[in-house]
């Protein structure tokens, strides 16, 4: 038996974009400070979980526009690629490889490399897994 909460439904629609933006900020700052791919992925998923709780899993899937299993697959692929790039360059597995630093307005100095790619994989994997589980549980409840 499902219940519909008007207040949760409306607040979820407002909070979802903010939670996704916050998840990207936590993901980006987590490279050198607390945070990162895992917590960022959970925060990103939480916006869509709120929509699923307020309006149902089908509504959350429409807002997400990508199947959670696709997020999971892309995330695992990125993490694997980040780990194997070191091997392809003649180093050991999960060796950190870096591009030259450059500066971006509002972000400062940007450090791009395989650790950031690995974190992006973790971000998408955690987000996809959390949404897959919550959507499946919510659909069973319906």
């Amino acid at each position: 038996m499902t219940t519909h909460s008007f207040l949760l439904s409306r607040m979820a629609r407002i909070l979802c974009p903010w939670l996704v933006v916050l998840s990207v900020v936590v993901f980006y700052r987590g490279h050198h400070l607390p945070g990162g791919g895992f917590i960022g992925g959970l925060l990103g998923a939480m916006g869509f979980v709120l929509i699923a709780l307020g309006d149902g899993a089908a509504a959350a899937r429409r807002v997400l526009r990508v199947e959670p299993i696709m997020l999971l697959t892309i995330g695992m692929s990125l993490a694997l690629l980040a780990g194997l790039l070191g091997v392809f360059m003649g180093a050991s597995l999960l060796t950190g490889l870096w591009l030259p630093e450059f500066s971006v307005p509002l972000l400062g100095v940007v450090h791009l490399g395989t650790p950031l790619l690995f974190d992006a994989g973790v971000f998408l994997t955690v987000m996809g897994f959390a949404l897959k589980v919550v959507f499946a549980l919510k659909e069973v409840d319906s």
Side-chain angles (χ1 to χ4, degrees), residues 118-130:
F118 183 82
D119 263 355
V122 171
F123 178 91
L124 292 174
T125 300
V126 168
M127 189 171 177
F129 178 78

Side-chain angles (χ1 to χ4, degrees), residues 13-115:
R13 297 293 176 145
I14 294 169
L15 288 174
C16 182
W18 289 102
L19 283 168
V20 171
V21 168
L22 179 63
S23 76
V24 172
V25 170
V26 168
F27 161 72
Y28 181 72
R29 86 180 270 277
H31 191 61
H32 295 290
L33 299 168
F38 189 84
I39 300 303
L42 287 177
L43 277 171
M46 188 53 59
F48 299 101
V49 167
L50 286 174
I51 292 175
L53 292 175
D55 293 329
R61 285 181 189 277
R62 282 192 304 275
V63 172
L64 182 61
R65 296 184 183 167
V66 176
E67 281 299 314
I69 198 75
M70 183 60 79
L71 291 175
L72 220 161
T73 304
I74 292 170
M76 291 295 289
S77 300
L78 282 178
L80 180 64
L81 176 66
L84 291 177
L85 277 175
V87 174
F88 296 144
M89 300 300 249
S92 61
L93 184 67
L94 288 174
T95 298
L97 303 172
W98 298 95
L99 294 174
E101 296 177 354
F102 57 94
S103 183
V104 174
L106 298 177
L107 292 179
V109 178
V110 176
H111 309 277
L112 294 181
T114 55

